[in-house]
Amino acid sequence: MSFTFPWRASTVIRSRINAYLDQASTCAQHFESAMRALVESRLEDVVHGREASHQAESAADDIRREIEQSLYEHELLPESRGDLLALLESMDHILGAMQGSLNILVLEKPHLEEFLIPFLRELTEVNIHAFELVRKAVEALMQDPMGTRNLCVQIDHEESRSDRIQQAALQTVFTSGLDLAQKLQIKDLIRMLGAISDRCEHTADLLTIIAIKRRI
């Protein structure tokens, strides 16, 4: 059965979605740079990265609101509007988890022992890859919907990988000699980092459902 996708009918909506994706990617890039600075002990660059990430996240929010307005100006079916709004909201949550992780680092300033660095490096890598796959999946939904499913399967694999890293990190933290307050603070950081891939997986689930619905 043929695939009908009303978002493709509007060049305005499609261009704004691409602009949103660009800002979301900028936010992710600054997050990645800040995390790289963290593991290299360049703490001042972590602060700069957080500020730049926040600016990109705010710009993405502005574009999302423009898209909302455009959706109601163009005569899309309510279900189509709802699908896109849910998708954008889910992506916002990914960016929010990135920003939340940087907020913990900058505002709470947890002391990070050397044994944590490999875990943080791995979590950053897997979460950035999951986000990049989300962007590709959204682009596929607009251009080549049949490619969406494979990308979403890859996102699910990355989320599982993130879970394994988190569990290993938490086990190491709670068997270490750190005091309880430090352990709990680091647990919050690890879980917030892990929330990035969790929210990528949620977005992938939405993308899969939208693709299926458009083929029915």
Side-chain angles (χ1 to χ4, degrees), residues 19-42:
Y20 176 87
L21 292 174
D22 286 342
Q23 283 298 328
S25 291
T26 298
C27 178
Q29 289 163 7
H30 287 305
F31 164 78
E32 183 179 21
S33 295
M35 293 302 297
R36 187 182 303 116
L38 175 73
V39 301
E40 294 174 359
S41 299
R42 293 184 284 109

Short mmCIF file of all heavy atoms in Angstrom, two decimals, residues 19-42:
data_model
loop_
_atom_site.label_atom_id
_atom_site.label_comp_id
_atom_site.label_asym_id
_atom_site.label_seq_id
_atom_site.Cartn_x
_atom_site.Cartn_y
_atom_site.Cartn_z
N ALA A 19 14.89 23.03 10.01
CA ALA A 19 15.53 24.06 10.84
C ALA A 19 15.56 23.61 12.30
O ALA A 19 16.55 23.82 13.01
CB ALA A 19 14.80 25.39 10.71
N TYR A 20 14.46 23.00 12.75
CA TYR A 20 14.41 22.48 14.12
C TYR A 20 15.49 21.41 14.32
O TYR A 20 16.22 21.42 15.32
CB TYR A 20 13.03 21.89 14.42
CG TYR A 20 12.96 21.24 15.78
CD1 TYR A 20 12.64 21.98 16.91
CD2 TYR A 20 13.25 19.88 15.94
CE1 TYR A 20 12.61 21.39 18.16
CE2 TYR A 20 13.22 19.28 17.18
CZ TYR A 20 12.90 20.04 18.30
OH TYR A 20 12.88 19.45 19.53
N LEU A 21 15.59 20.49 13.35
CA LEU A 21 16.59 19.43 13.45
C LEU A 21 18.01 20.01 13.50
O LEU A 21 18.87 19.49 14.22
CB LEU A 21 16.45 18.47 12.28
CG LEU A 21 15.18 17.62 12.25
CD1 LEU A 21 15.11 16.81 10.95
CD2 LEU A 21 15.09 16.69 13.46
N ASP A 22 18.25 21.06 12.74
CA ASP A 22 19.56 21.70 12.74
C ASP A 22 19.89 22.27 14.12
O ASP A 22 21.01 22.10 14.63
CB ASP A 22 19.63 22.82 11.70
CG ASP A 22 19.71 22.29 10.28
OD1 ASP A 22 20.05 21.11 10.10
OD2 ASP A 22 19.41 23.07 9.34
N GLN A 23 18.93 22.94 14.74
CA GLN A 23 19.16 23.50 16.07
C GLN A 23 19.31 22.40 17.11
O GLN A 23 20.14 22.51 18.03
CB GLN A 23 18.02 24.45 16.46
CG GLN A 23 18.08 25.80 15.80
CD GLN A 23 19.33 26.58 16.17
OE1 GLN A 23 19.86 26.46 17.25
NE2 GLN A 23 19.82 27.39 15.23
N ALA A 24 18.54 21.35 16.98
CA ALA A 24 18.67 20.22 17.91
C ALA A 24 20.05 19.60 17.79
O ALA A 24 20.68 19.24 18.79
CB ALA A 24 17.58 19.18 17.62
N SER A 25 20.55 19.47 16.56
CA SER A 25 21.89 18.92 16.36
C SER A 25 22.96 19.84 16.94
O SER A 25 23.96 19.37 17.50
CB SER A 25 22.15 18.71 14.86
OG SER A 25 21.34 17.65 14.36
N THR A 26 22.75 21.15 16.83
CA THR A 26 23.69 22.10 17.42
C THR A 26 23.72 21.95 18.93
O THR A 26 24.80 21.96 19.56
CB THR A 26 23.30 23.54 17.04
OG1 THR A 26 23.36 23.69 15.63
CG2 THR A 26 24.24 24.56 17.70
N CYS A 27 22.55 21.79 19.52
CA CYS A 27 22.47 21.55 20.97
C CYS A 27 23.25 20.29 21.35
O CYS A 27 24.02 20.29 22.31
CB CYS A 27 21.00 21.42 21.38
SG CYS A 27 20.73 21.07 23.13
N ALA A 28 23.07 19.22 20.58
CA ALA A 28 23.76 17.96 20.85
C ALA A 28 25.27 18.10 20.69
O ALA A 28 26.05 17.53 21.46
CB ALA A 28 23.24 16.86 19.93
N GLN A 29 25.69 18.87 19.69
CA GLN A 29 27.12 19.09 19.48
C GLN A 29 27.76 19.82 20.65
O GLN A 29 28.86 19.47 21.08
CB GLN A 29 27.33 19.86 18.18
CG GLN A 29 27.04 19.05 16.92
CD GLN A 29 26.86 19.91 15.69
OE1 GLN A 29 27.08 21.13 15.73
NE2 GLN A 29 26.45 19.31 14.59
N HIS A 30 27.07 20.82 21.17
CA HIS A 30 27.61 21.55 22.32
C HIS A 30 27.61 20.67 23.57
O HIS A 30 28.54 20.76 24.40
CB HIS A 30 26.79 22.82 22.57
CG HIS A 30 27.04 23.90 21.56
ND1 HIS A 30 28.29 24.38 21.28
CD2 HIS A 30 26.17 24.58 20.75
CE1 HIS A 30 28.21 25.32 20.35
NE2 HIS A 30 26.94 25.45 20.01
N PHE A 31 26.60 19.83 23.71
CA PHE A 31 26.58 18.88 24.81
C PHE A 31 27.79 17.95 24.72
O PHE A 31 28.51 17.73 25.71
CB PHE A 31 25.29 18.06 24.78
CG PHE A 31 25.33 16.81 25.61
CD1 PHE A 31 25.18 16.87 26.99
CD2 PHE A 31 25.53 15.57 25.02
CE1 PHE A 31 25.24 15.71 27.77
CE2 PHE A 31 25.58 14.41 25.78
CZ PHE A 31 25.43 14.48 27.16
N GLU A 32 28.03 17.42 23.53
CA GLU A 32 29.16 16.51 23.34
C GLU A 32 30.49 17.22 23.64
O GLU A 32 31.37 16.65 24.30
CB GLU A 32 29.16 15.97 21.91
CG GLU A 32 30.26 14.96 21.64
CD GLU A 32 30.24 14.43 20.23
OE1 GLU A 32 29.64 15.09 19.34
OE2 GLU A 32 30.80 13.35 19.99
N SER A 33 30.62 18.46 23.19
CA SER A 33 31.85 19.22 23.43
C SER A 33 32.06 19.46 24.92
O SER A 33 33.18 19.37 25.43
CB SER A 33 31.80 20.56 22.69
OG SER A 33 31.78 20.37 21.30
N ALA A 34 30.97 19.76 25.62
CA ALA A 34 31.07 20.00 27.06
C ALA A 34 31.47 18.73 27.80
O ALA A 34 32.30 18.77 28.73
CB ALA A 34 29.74 20.52 27.60
N MET A 35 30.91 17.60 27.39
CA MET A 35 31.27 16.34 28.04
C MET A 35 32.72 15.96 27.73
O MET A 35 33.42 15.42 28.59
CB MET A 35 30.32 15.23 27.58
CG MET A 35 28.88 15.40 28.07
SD MET A 35 28.73 15.49 29.87
CE MET A 35 29.31 13.86 30.34
N ARG A 36 33.18 16.25 26.52
CA ARG A 36 34.57 15.99 26.18
C ARG A 36 35.49 16.86 27.04
O ARG A 36 36.53 16.40 27.52
CB ARG A 36 34.82 16.26 24.70
CG ARG A 36 36.22 15.83 24.24
CD ARG A 36 36.46 16.16 22.78
NE ARG A 36 35.47 15.54 21.92
CZ ARG A 36 34.60 16.21 21.18
NH1 ARG A 36 34.59 17.53 21.20
NH2 ARG A 36 33.75 15.57 20.42
N ALA A 37 35.09 18.12 27.23
CA ALA A 37 35.87 19.01 28.09
C ALA A 37 35.91 18.49 29.52
O ALA A 37 36.93 18.59 30.20
CB ALA A 37 35.27 20.42 28.05
N LEU A 38 34.81 17.90 29.96
CA LEU A 38 34.75 17.37 31.32
C LEU A 38 35.77 16.26 31.52
O LEU A 38 36.54 16.28 32.50
CB LEU A 38 33.34 16.84 31.62
CG LEU A 38 33.17 16.15 32.97
CD1 LEU A 38 33.20 17.18 34.10
CD2 LEU A 38 31.88 15.34 33.01
N VAL A 39 35.79 15.30 30.62
CA VAL A 39 36.70 14.17 30.80
C VAL A 39 38.16 14.59 30.59
O VAL A 39 39.07 13.87 31.03
CB VAL A 39 36.34 13.00 29.86
CG1 VAL A 39 34.91 12.53 30.12
CG2 VAL A 39 36.51 13.37 28.39
N GLU A 40 38.37 15.73 29.96
CA GLU A 40 39.73 16.26 29.78
C GLU A 40 40.07 17.32 30.83
O GLU A 40 41.09 18.00 30.72
CB GLU A 40 39.87 16.84 28.38
CG GLU A 40 39.76 15.78 27.27
CD GLU A 40 39.75 16.38 25.88
OE1 GLU A 40 39.82 17.63 25.76
OE2 GLU A 40 39.68 15.61 24.91
N SER A 41 39.19 17.46 31.84
CA SER A 41 39.41 18.39 32.96
C SER A 41 39.48 19.84 32.53
O SER A 41 40.16 20.66 33.16
CB SER A 41 40.68 18.00 33.74
OG SER A 41 40.55 16.70 34.27
N ARG A 42 38.79 20.20 31.46
CA ARG A 42 38.69 21.59 31.02
C ARG A 42 37.35 22.15 31.52
O ARG A 42 36.41 22.31 30.77
CB ARG A 42 38.81 21.69 29.50
CG ARG A 42 40.18 21.30 28.98
CD ARG A 42 40.31 21.49 27.47
NE ARG A 42 39.64 20.44 26.73
CZ ARG A 42 38.51 20.58 26.04
NH1 ARG A 42 37.90 21.76 26.01
NH2 ARG A 42 37.98 19.57 25.39
#
